[in-house]
Amino acid sequence: MVELGQWRLHSGQYIGEISALCFVHLPPDIHSLPYLLAGTGSQILLYDLVGGQVVTSIQVFLGIRVHGITCSLVSSTIGSSSCTLGFKVAVFGERRVKLLSLCFEMALGCQKIPLQVTANLRLFHLLPKFSNWVLDVCFLKDEISSLEESFCIAIGCSDNSVCLWDMLKSSVTCEIESPDRCLLFSMRLWGEKLDALRVASGTIYNEIIVWQVVPHGQQFEALHICRLSGHEGSIFRIAWSADGSKLVSASDDRSARIWAFDGERGNSNEVHGPYLAGPILFGHNARIWDCCISDSLIVTAGEDCTCRVWGMDGSQLKIIKEHTGRGIWRFLYNPECSLLVTAGFDSTIKLHKLQSFLFRGSDGHGGIEEFSNRKANLAVSIPNSAEHMGLMDSKSEYVRCLRFTSEESLYVATNQGYLYHATLCETEEVKWTKLVRVGEGAPIVCMDLLAQSPLGLHSGTADWVAVGDGKGRMTVVRFVDDACFHKVGQTLTWSAEAERQLLGAYWSKALGCSHIFTADPRGMLKLWRLSDSLRSGSSVVGSTDVLLVAEFISCFAARIMCLDVSVEEEVLLCGDLRGNLVLFPLLKDLLLGTPGASEKIVPLNHFKGAHGISSVSSISITSSRCGQIEIRSTGADGCICYLEYDNDQKSLEFTGMKQVKELSLIQSVSPGGDFADDLTCTSYAIGFASADFIIWNITTNTKVVQVPCGGWRRPHSYYLGDIAEMMNCFAFVKDEIIYIHRHWLPDCKRKSFPQILHMQFHGREMHTLRFISGDSLYNTNGEHSTFYRSGWIATGCEDGTVRLTRYASGAKNFSSKLLGEHVGGSAVRSICFVSKVHMVSADVNNLPDKTNRESTASEDREVPILLISVGAKQVLTSWLLKERKCSKAGNDTIGPSSGMFSSVSFQWLSTHMPIKCSGTHKKMENIDELLGDLELKHCRGDKYENDWRYLSVTAFLVKRAFSRLTVCFVVIACSDATLALRALVLPNRFWYDVASLIPVPSPILAVQHIIISKHAVSKDNIHDGNLYIVISGSTDGSITFWDLTASVEAFMRQLSTLQLQKSIECHKRPRTGRGSQGGRWWRSLGSTLTNKQVVNSVSTESGFQAENMGTYDSLSEVFVLRPLLVLSNIHQSGVNCLHVSGFKERQNFGHGFLFNLLSGGDDQAIHCLTFDLSVPPTSLDSILDKTPDMENCIFNFQKQNYGIRILYHDRIASAHSSAIKGIWTDGTWVFSTGLDQRVRCWCIEDHSKLTEHSQLIISVPEPEALDATTCGKNHYNIAVAGRGMQLVVFSASSCDVGRGD
């Protein structure tokens, strides 16, 4: 037994906004790039920019965010084989300043190249708490000593004063106050000596006061220099130039201004005549948070998530927009290496390389030089274009199609039937070769290319080019590219369609050059087989060398735009012009069999509107195994869709979607393993945004290439190498000219930019989080869980995103991936994790036969694990766990001792949204008839209003024995003061309204549920009946108990009478608002449901109601449930959080269960209620008489089927110094958090008395949610979310949780 005194709270890693940055400059001959200090939360991280890794970290403050960092070199020892560098680092936040010692020890090799670098960061000195906030810190050189070491620091405070701190005496030697005393928003110090120190202060009056420190006898005083006016908003940031002659200010008015000072600077250090130097910099769409100025440029960053580079003449040179959320807080620019570092609310630190050729001249006139020796910008014309100079006419030749085969090979087809080849030389010359003219000069309307691997050691490569002309003829040409020239091999032409009916020609890599597809406007796809003589290189070929094998007829009659083939699974995938996906059978016998009459083939399956009404631009099979095919498609809706096809069941299921907001059309995704649940693989989306061609790094959310080209309708082509940042080509046609943009660096050892140093996370505040229990993941297959100190956390954010984050004890970094986004970016307010299935007995009259019973019994072992998220605009989204086994070398591992590793993710399952006329409001219109005189007018509102939000959710799974159907019952609390019970039937994904829980006099903020068995459990783990109780906490401080048993049981009985297994599942995908027609579909049980009398507090003739394409049935078809028990005024204000401990079976009497209910509210109080549920009811009275706790029973409530007793009630009036936002308990320990930024641990003692055991100050500002999980014996993981997320460990012994020293 572990003693209570051995339990401790340990602070873990914080992931959230980056609030401070500072370069640590090492000698350039030793280290090419500086190190980087980054402040996040209360900790400091040290990064090696060359390796892109965290070197070390340290916790600096307790609950105080790091606002700024500055450092100074104090010692340097460089020998022949080693080097030691010492820095002093000042870190400040709020009213605190701490000094750290940073020491680098390097083992040097030849030419002073560091072989091994060791960095040591430790606390050096703690300054006392200042009376005002610290806005800036500056190291000063000692006046007396000739040593370079700095012993004094100047500290600028928010009352417009500067304090001088002597590190040797550990005291404030003097305080210099500005003549203009006022509160400040910002301050920046400049100077290395105290008597030359200048101060720029941004006041609350939108002015900048510039003053300097001058000696006055033995003391120092402030000398006012000037007052700078012009800004119309608060001044958030000020930056001095390196020589102190200029400063730039950033403001709330979305502008930045440059100020300069005239006058000679002699020994007097006087400054005269400030003036506005240059134009006002307007361009940001929101507040500007940070700015800097160098000799040739100005950089600003703001709340609009952009970092903008300006010339000294005010011209905007570059816009970097690669952060999300509330903006870019801080950035750094190093002119020596042209390195720009940006950091923001989304926890990301990104490195950008601003090339030296970005700015021209020293006169301040900036401009963009698009390409240098690293890039090539070519503008060429086809050979015959010179014959028709001027305006185009019917005889003019122009480009119709372009195709890259490599970075130096480009095929061009024209309207006059010519096919050219362009060789791009390293000297930026283009060598043209006229290859062939096809179709008697008919215009070429489509072209596809198949590049083959080398034919032999000296025979070069072979390219197969297929072109279709306006006459309906197909021409296939084989080209051989030798070292010296590009020559035509064989040519084959045949009539594929009627005139003007041939619109597409497609090769398939899986089929090679043996087959080719052609498409017409009506959705028919033809498969042609090319003879062996053509493929073998025979010089004699004819029209008989091509045979029509099959015709694939789409059910949508829309033109096929793209396709892919899986020979192993014998399927053909197609995407059409209207956003649909069609899947055809493609048997091997058809491909390899004896030629005969062509077959007409109909689809196996289809998915309507996978990309809404937008065209499908690409489709590919990402993997295929054991009859499961994973499919990825892209489209003109800017989305990447993921589907899964089961070849045995012939089912096509939508499994996920990734919306790339930066692209309006995605042409393709770079090849490689970028499936939806891949956390580590780098992938790129290639497409267009308006008139620009863009390559977007999906993994890092960075823009790789942006080329203005006029849009996707122009003929264009692109080609990517292994690393898109360093190897990319793009060509497009404009005004009869082919523009070729080529960036190709074969030396992959060079670093590619931008780079990500710190993981990207949510860009706004988080309202909810849940641990994904490791026990739930492993117990589904009967194995014992080895999940201890690593796992996953699901989080929901204000920006509508849901993320899955992996944590591990001792790891320096989290890893996180985006699961998806709520419709329209609506805020996510609550998340629940559902893993346990409650089995109920089957109806004897509806038992399946023995064969079906055995098959369904095997399916019972496959337990669905769900994640439910709800939020604004009444959006409810469900996610299904998708678990994969991978090799031991994989990055996503969870079984540290078992040798079994797994990659875990959730795939989108279904989205539930209300229609314009909300069903909840419609039901409320007649509710007065059931409730008599009770007024619920505040619950109704405008029936067309959709500003309501879901505030809380809880869910549980119920499965009837020997049935394939599993029902997820979801209880949702809405801000319109309604509480509803809905059901999601799996695997059909049908939604039903089951019950309305009334009355709810005020909105509900928290809901929990408990489920116990009414009777003994059978040997098959099947209950004869369960008791379903929901507990809710409201804004009026009340806690309410609801009994859902009758509703759940009646729904399961009626569901068992239907044959939903035979229903065709509706095709669904998430809505995106960009041409998407996805969303939820409803099914109604209709007349098959018989009305039942509900035995509850409110009895009414009722059944179930389901929406049918957005319509509601009458109110009499929905259960109406009254509260079982209302505990009024438990809290003096809103109940923000609830948690119920797992039940403990009472051994001293009957069949009873003991629970602890913990609640926290705005009144800063924690309440602990201990109650028990007793079943069966037959002996309840006798049981109660025998119970020793009966004498202390606070409340006793008996019902026909069970009894509830509230045994104990304890209240901690001031558990936190502010509102309590999260609480969790397991019946022994209680963890709580509140706006006081603390996690408190409580112990539940006898008679449910709460005793505070320990507390910990956390780094998360404004905490909103808390969750915890047990991890083995004597170990708890606690996660707190708000403006960031932090992991806290509660254990009986010291453990490594990845925290700083």
Side-chain angles (χ1 to χ4, degrees):
M1 182 68 181
V2 180
E3 297 182 0
L4 294 181
Q6 298 180 4
W7 290 87
R8 292 290 184 270
L9 284 169
H10 307 275
S11 177
Q13 186 181 0
Y14 166 81
I15 175 173
E17 59 194 64
I18 306 296
S19 54
L21 296 173
C22 179
F23 281 132
V24 181
H25 294 279
L26 275 63
D29 56 338
I30 295 179
H31 214 265
S32 59
L33 294 178
Y35 278 73
L36 178 70
L37 287 169
T40 173
S42 303
Q43 63 184 354
I44 294 293
L45 306 175
L46 177 65
Y47 286 92
D48 179 6
L49 298 187
V50 175
Q53 300 292 328
V54 178
V55 178
T56 186
S57 63
I58 186 172
Q59 191 80 18
V60 181
F61 300 113
L62 291 177
I64 299 176
R65 188 179 69 162
V66 175
H67 289 167
I69 309 170
T70 185
C71 73
S72 176
L73 177 66
V74 295
S75 63
S76 175
T77 304
I78 302 178
S80 58
S81 60
S82 64
C83 173
T84 302
L85 300 174
F87 292 85
K88 281 190 175 66
V89 181
V91 184
F92 57 92
E94 295 186 7
R95 295 179 174 87
R96 292 288 188 180
V97 178
K98 286 191 177 183
L99 300 181
L100 307 178
S101 173
L102 175 60
C103 181
F104 291 95
E105 296 181 357
M106 307 179 186
L108 303 180
C110 59
Q111 299 180 355
K112 294 186 178 182
I113 299 177
L115 300 178
Q116 184 178 2
V117 181
T118 303
N120 182 21
L121 187 63
R122 62 181 180 86
L123 180 64
F124 170 70
H125 197 63
L126 172 63
L127 276 66
K129 186 177 181 179
F130 289 86
S131 58
N132 295 281
W133 278 44
V134 178
L135 300 180
D136 197 14
V137 173
C138 177
F139 284 96
L140 300 177
K141 290 185 177 179
D142 184 66
E143 290 285 339
I144 301 175
S145 174
S146 60
L147 298 176
E148 294 183 357
E149 184 174 1
S150 301
F151 295 100
C152 297
I153 57 174
I155 302 169
C157 298
S158 60
D159 62 344
N160 206 9
S161 66
V162 174
C163 297
L164 185 64
W165 178 266
D166 191 325
M167 289 182 286
L168 296 180
K169 298 179 181 180
S170 298
S171 63
V172 176
T173 57
C174 66
E175 182 177 356
I176 304 104
E177 298 179 351
S178 170
D180 298 299
R181 298 298 301 275
C182 61
L183 293 179
L184 307 179
F185 273 114
S186 58
M187 175 187 282
R188 185 56 65 93
L189 307 176
W190 179 87
E192 294 182 346
K193 297 183 179 181
L194 182 59
D195 59 359
L197 186 66
R198 293 180 194 150
V199 184
S201 308
T203 72
I204 60 175
Y205 303 111
N206 308 334
E207 296 177 330
I208 301 175
I209 298 175
V210 181
W211 55 283
Q212 73 178 69
V213 178
V214 295
H216 182 71
Q218 298 297 324
Q219 300 295 324
F220 293 89
E221 64 179 17
L223 175 65
H224 176 81
I225 297 177
C226 63
R227 186 185 301 268
L228 307 178
S229 301
H231 280 294
E232 298 178 357
S234 303
I235 299 169
F236 293 130
R237 193 72 167 175
I238 301 172
W240 288 95
S241 62
D243 60 357
S245 62
K246 295 179 181 179
L247 62 83
V248 59
S249 57
S251 172
D252 188 22
D253 62 6
R254 306 182 182 184
S255 73
R257 296 171 184 251
I258 313 166
W259 312 89
F261 302 92
D262 286 335
E264 296 294 333
R265 291 168 180 79
N267 296 330
S268 62
N269 292 310
E270 295 181 357
V271 182
H272 305 283
Y275 65 94
L276 191 62
I280 302 174
L281 306 180
F282 282 108
H284 283 276
N285 299 323
R287 295 175 287 185
I288 303 178
W289 296 126
D290 202 359
C291 59
C292 80
I293 181 171
S294 68
D295 295 337
S296 59
L297 62 90
I298 299 164
V299 185
T300 59
E303 195 175 22
D304 58 356
C305 296
T306 65
C307 185
R308 299 171 187 256
V309 182
W310 312 79
M312 299 303 293
D313 60 351
S315 59
Q316 188 169 273
L317 304 179
K318 188 177 182 63
I319 301 177
I320 299 172
K321 188 176 182 180
E322 295 171 0
H323 290 265
T324 61
R326 292 202 179 277
I328 300 176
W329 289 124
R330 292 291 175 258
F331 71 86
L332 290 176
Y333 175 64
N334 188 346
E336 286 75 16
C337 55
S338 299
L339 191 67
L340 177 66
V341 181
T342 60
F345 199 100
D346 59 358
S347 181
T348 311
I349 302 176
K350 296 188 177 183
L351 272 66
H352 309 266
K353 194 77 169 180
L354 297 183
Q355 301 301 328
S356 58
F357 56 83
L358 182 65
F359 312 99
R360 295 186 300 225
S362 59
D363 56 355
H365 296 285
I368 298 180
E369 183 178 343
E370 293 287 352
F371 296 90
S372 69
N373 55 354
R374 296 180 59 195
K375 299 183 179 181
N377 183 18
L378 307 178
V380 297
S381 300
I382 55 178
N384 294 339
S385 62
E387 301 176 2
H388 302 281
M389 299 299 294
L391 298 177
M392 297 180 62
D393 54 24
S394 59
K395 297 182 179 179
S396 300
E397 185 179 13
Y398 55 88
V399 178
R400 294 296 299 267
C401 303
L402 297 172
R403 288 294 184 275
F404 273 109
T405 58
S406 66
E407 73 276 11
E408 55 187 21
S409 178
L410 178 67
Y411 286 92
V412 180
T414 71
N415 64 315
Q416 295 185 1
Y418 286 103
L419 190 60
Y420 300 93
H421 179 266
T423 302
L424 311 180
C425 304
E426 295 183 359
T427 58
E428 299 187 8
E429 296 181 359
V430 178
K431 296 181 179 179
W432 286 97
T433 304
K434 183 185 295 185
L435 299 175
V436 68
R437 189 179 189 186
V438 300
E440 300 177 357
I444 295 177
V445 296
C446 59
M447 179 173 72
D448 197 19
L449 187 142
L450 180 66
Q452 295 281 359
S453 58
L455 300 176
L457 185 61
H458 303 288
S459 58
T461 60
D463 295 331
W464 293 82
V465 180
V467 295
D469 60 34
K471 299 293 185 181
R473 293 185 293 259
M474 275 296 302
T475 301
V476 174
V477 186
R478 176 175 173 268
F479 298 100
V480 177
D481 185 15
D482 286 339
C484 301
F485 56 90
H486 203 80
K487 66 179 181 179
V488 178
Q490 291 77 33
T491 302
L492 175 63
T493 301
W494 73 95
S495 179
E497 294 287 350
E499 187 174 355
R500 298 185 179 181
Q501 297 300 302
L502 179 59
L503 297 183
Y506 308 103
W507 294 103
S508 171
K509 291 184 178 180
L511 301 179
C513 58
S514 61
H515 293 79
I516 190 171
F517 295 89
T518 59
D520 69 1
R522 299 176 300 278
M524 179 179 289
L525 196 67
K526 294 182 179 180
L527 175 62
W528 306 85
R529 179 189 298 174
L530 305 183
S531 66
D532 295 336
S533 59
L534 177 66
R535 286 177 279 138
S536 62
S538 174
S539 59
V540 180
V541 294
S543 60
T544 58
D545 290 317
V546 59
L547 296 173
L548 179 61
V549 177
E551 297 177 350
F552 302 89
I553 305 172
S554 172
C555 52
F556 297 107
R559 174 188 168 190
I560 301 299
M561 302 297 295
C562 53
L563 58 85
D564 197 10
V565 171
S566 173
V567 177
E568 295 79 8
E569 301 297 338
E570 299 182 324
V571 293
L572 166 66
L573 301 170
C574 302
D576 67 22
L577 188 63
R578 298 177 185 172
N580 309 308
L581 304 182
V582 187
L583 191 144
F584 295 96
L586 186 61
L587 302 180
K588 294 180 180 179
D589 294 340
L590 185 67
L591 298 173
L592 305 176
T594 304
S598 63
E599 299 183 20
K600 294 186 182 296
I601 300 177
V602 297
L604 279 173
N605 209 326
H606 64 271
F607 196 105
K608 183 178 181 180
H611 290 274
I613 57 176
S614 304
S615 174
V616 182
S617 54
S618 72
I619 189 168
S620 60
I621 298 173
T622 57
S623 66
S624 174
R625 64 186 187 280
C626 303
Q628 298 287 334
I629 301 175
E630 295 175 352
I631 304 167
R632 178 186 61 218
S633 66
T634 65
D637 59 347
C639 296
I640 307 170
C641 295
Y642 300 92
L643 301 95
E644 189 172 274
Y645 176 72
D646 191 322
N647 213 352
D648 298 329
Q649 302 293 331
K650 308 301 179 187
S651 62
L652 183 62
E653 182 182 6
F654 194 95
T655 59
M657 184 182 71
K658 188 176 295 182
Q659 184 177 0
V660 184
K661 296 182 179 180
E662 292 74 15
L663 299 179
S664 57
L665 179 147
I666 302 179
Q667 288 276 27
S668 65
V669 175
S670 65
D674 83 319
F675 194 70
D677 60 357
D678 197 328
L679 289 172
T680 58
C681 183
T682 300
S683 57
Y684 304 89
I686 303 101
F688 293 85
S690 185
D692 295 343
F693 170 77
I694 292 177
I695 301 177
W696 186 265
N697 189 319
I698 301 174
T699 306
T700 62
N701 277 329
T702 55
K703 187 185 300 179
V704 177
V705 172
Q706 180 173 3
V707 179
C709 62
W712 61 273
R713 297 184 182 275
R714 299 178 182 274
H716 64 273
S717 182
Y718 54 86
Y719 182 78
L720 270 63
D722 296 333
I723 304 176
E725 287 85 352
M726 305 172 66
M727 302 177 181
N728 59 78
C729 300
F730 176 65
F732 68 96
V733 178
K734 183 178 180 181
D735 298 331
E736 304 180 60
I737 298 176
I738 304 175
Y739 294 90
I740 303 173
H741 293 228
R742 185 171 59 161
H743 179 194
W744 205 265
L745 293 178
D747 184 8
C748 296
K749 295 183 179 180
R750 297 196 59 175
K751 297 180 69 64
S752 61
F753 291 92
Q755 285 187 324
I756 287 188
L757 294 182
H758 201 260
M759 179 197 74
Q760 186 165 19
F761 201 51
H762 291 290
R764 292 181 180 269
E765 296 82 357
M766 285 171 282
H767 298 295
T768 179
L769 82 164
R770 284 292 179 271
F771 277 97
I772 306 302
S773 172
D775 294 331
S776 300
L777 300 181
Y778 276 95
N779 290 342
T780 56
N781 54 17
E783 297 180 10
H784 177 68
S785 173
T786 56
F787 181 88
Y788 285 103
R789 300 181 183 180
S790 64
W792 289 263
I793 302 174
T795 53
C797 180
E798 179 70 23
D799 60 6
T801 58
V802 178
R803 300 189 73 93
L804 186 66
T805 303
R806 182 181 182 273
Y807 66 91
S809 296
K812 294 182 179 180
N813 286 319
F814 292 97
S815 60
S816 179
K817 68 160 292 184
L818 179 67
L819 288 186
E821 183 176 349
H822 273 211
V823 177
S826 55
V828 181
R829 304 295 303 187
S830 182
I831 285 178
C832 70
F833 177 63
V834 193
S835 59
K836 183 178 180 181
V837 175
H838 302 275
M839 302 293 297
V840 295
S841 59
D843 188 353
V844 178
N845 298 324
N846 294 305
L847 284 178
D849 56 33
K850 182 178 179 181
T851 304
N852 292 333
R853 184 170 177 174
E854 291 176 355
S855 63
T856 54
S858 62
E859 293 181 9
D860 286 346
R861 303 188 187 99
E862 299 178 2
V863 177
I865 299 178
L866 303 182
L867 191 69
I868 307 292
S869 61
V870 300
K873 299 187 183 297
Q874 294 177 280
V875 175
L876 185 155
T877 303
S878 57
W879 317 81
L880 177 66
L881 177 72
K882 188 168 187 177
E883 183 181 5
R884 294 187 175 189
K885 304 292 176 64
C886 59
S887 64
K888 201 167 185 177
N891 294 324
D892 301 311
T893 60
I894 61 177
S897 62
S898 64
M900 183 66 68
F901 296 85
S902 177
S903 175
V904 175
S905 182
F906 285 86
Q907 67 183 42
W908 176 85
L909 184 64
S910 181
T911 297
H912 175 292
M913 287 186 64
I915 56 174
K916 287 185 178 180
C917 183
S918 172
T920 303
H921 297 299
K922 188 169 183 180
K923 286 178 273 186
M924 286 298 171
E925 293 178 0
N926 299 324
I927 221 80
D928 290 340
E929 300 177 5
L930 299 171
L931 302 180
D933 298 331
L934 182 63
E935 292 290 337
L936 288 178
K937 294 180 180 180
H938 67 283
C939 299
R940 298 171 187 162
D942 184 357
K943 66 180 180 180
Y944 294 104
E945 188 177 1
N946 192 25
D947 289 337
W948 306 112
R949 67 181 64 179
Y950 290 141
L951 299 177
S952 186
V953 64
T954 187
F956 52 90
L957 292 168
V958 179
K959 185 180 180 67
R960 188 172 293 279
F962 311 115
S963 172
R964 291 185 175 89
L965 299 180
T966 302
V967 181
C968 179
F969 289 96
V970 184
V971 181
I972 316 167
C974 187
S975 60
D976 62 353
T978 60
L979 189 64
L981 174 64
R982 293 190 171 96
L984 172 61
V985 179
L986 301 175
N988 305 78
R989 307 188 192 184
F990 297 157
W991 281 99
Y992 296 94
D993 276 349
V994 179
S996 179
L997 285 63
I998 55 174
V1000 182
S1002 59
I1004 291 174
L1005 299 177
V1007 290
Q1008 290 280 296
H1009 73 271
I1010 55 177
I1011 300 174
I1012 62 173
S1013 173
K1014 292 182 184 178
H1015 307 287
V1017 182
S1018 67
K1019 62 179 182 179
D1020 296 328
N1021 198 30
I1022 298 174
H1023 299 273
D1024 292 335
N1026 292 323
L1027 189 64
Y1028 305 92
I1029 303 293
V1030 166
I1031 306 173
S1032 63
S1034 305
T1035 55
D1036 61 358
S1038 63
I1039 296 177
T1040 307
F1041 287 70
W1042 309 81
D1043 185 3
L1044 309 183
T1045 307
S1047 304
V1048 172
E1049 290 180 347
F1051 184 87
M1052 296 300 295
R1053 285 195 301 269
Q1054 296 296 330
L1055 196 64
S1056 64
T1057 62
L1058 302 180
Q1059 300 296 323
L1060 290 183
Q1061 299 94 319
K1062 300 179 181 179
S1063 303
I1064 299 176
E1065 181 181 352
C1066 298
H1067 290 156
K1068 297 165 292 294
R1069 56 155 278 176
R1071 297 182 186 176
T1072 62
R1074 299 172 64 176
S1076 165
Q1077 302 299 309
R1080 60 167 186 165
W1081 287 57
W1082 290 88
R1083 284 294 181 271
S1084 174
L1085 298 183
S1087 59
T1088 58
L1089 289 178
T1090 58
N1091 292 333
K1092 297 291 181 180
Q1093 184 78 17
V1094 181
V1095 181
N1096 210 323
S1097 300
V1098 176
S1099 299
T1100 179
E1101 291 288 326
S1102 56
F1104 305 104
Q1105 178 217 338
E1107 268 188 307
N1108 184 9
M1109 296 302 293
T1111 61
Y1112 281 84
D1113 296 335
S1114 64
L1115 178 65
S1116 62
E1117 294 185 1
V1118 179
F1119 280 99
V1120 178
L1121 306 180
R1122 280 186 178 272
L1124 179 65
L1125 175 64
V1126 179
L1127 305 177
S1128 301
N1129 301 321
I1130 293 292
H1131 287 267
Q1132 298 177 6
S1133 54
V1135 181
N1136 293 326
C1137 49
L1138 287 173
H1139 197 266
V1140 183
S1141 65
F1143 64 82
K1144 297 180 180 179
E1145 191 165 356
R1146 307 270 290 189
Q1147 300 295 334
N1148 57 340
F1149 70 95
H1151 188 55
F1153 302 90
L1154 187 67
F1155 296 89
N1156 288 303
L1157 172 63
L1158 275 296
S1159 64
D1162 284 331
D1163 59 356
Q1164 307 174 13
I1166 290 179
H1167 288 258
C1168 179
L1169 292 171
T1170 301
F1171 65 95
D1172 62 15
L1173 290 174
S1174 302
V1175 290
T1178 54
S1179 58
L1180 181 61
D1181 295 335
S1182 59
I1183 291 174
L1184 294 178
D1185 292 338
K1186 297 178 183 178
T1187 305
D1189 295 331
M1190 188 61 194
E1191 299 178 359
N1192 301 322
C1193 180
I1194 299 174
F1195 182 85
N1196 181 21
F1197 174 81
Q1198 298 186 36
K1199 212 173 184 307
Q1200 181 180 359
N1201 299 325
Y1202 54 89
I1204 297 179
R1205 295 186 309 163
I1206 298 179
L1207 302 176
Y1208 307 107
H1209 177 203
D1210 187 30
R1211 175 176 180 265
I1212 306 296
S1214 298
H1216 286 257
S1217 59
S1218 188
I1220 298 173
K1221 290 294 188 178
I1223 199 163
W1224 184 92
T1225 182
D1226 64 347
T1228 302
W1229 296 103
V1230 178
F1231 307 112
S1232 63
T1233 190
L1235 294 181
D1236 58 356
Q1237 213 168 325
R1238 281 165 171 77
V1239 170
R1240 298 181 186 269
C1241 175
W1242 312 81
C1243 181
I1244 302 179
E1245 298 182 347
D1246 294 339
H1247 305 298
S1248 298
K1249 294 293 183 181
L1250 292 178
T1251 303
E1252 184 174 0
H1253 179 270
S1254 58
Q1255 63 169 297
L1256 180 70
I1257 300 175
I1258 56 176
S1259 300
V1260 180
E1262 303 172 15
E1264 286 286 336
L1266 175 144
D1267 195 25
T1269 183
T1270 57
C1271 304
K1273 187 178 181 180
N1274 302 332
H1275 191 100
Y1276 294 83
N1277 277 339
I1278 308 165
V1280 181
R1283 287 179 56 179
M1285 183 179 72
Q1286 186 174 5
L1287 193 67
V1288 177
V1289 171
F1290 183 65
S1291 62
S1293 58
S1294 60
C1295 60
D1296 182 13
V1297 294
R1299 57 193 177 94
D1301 297 331

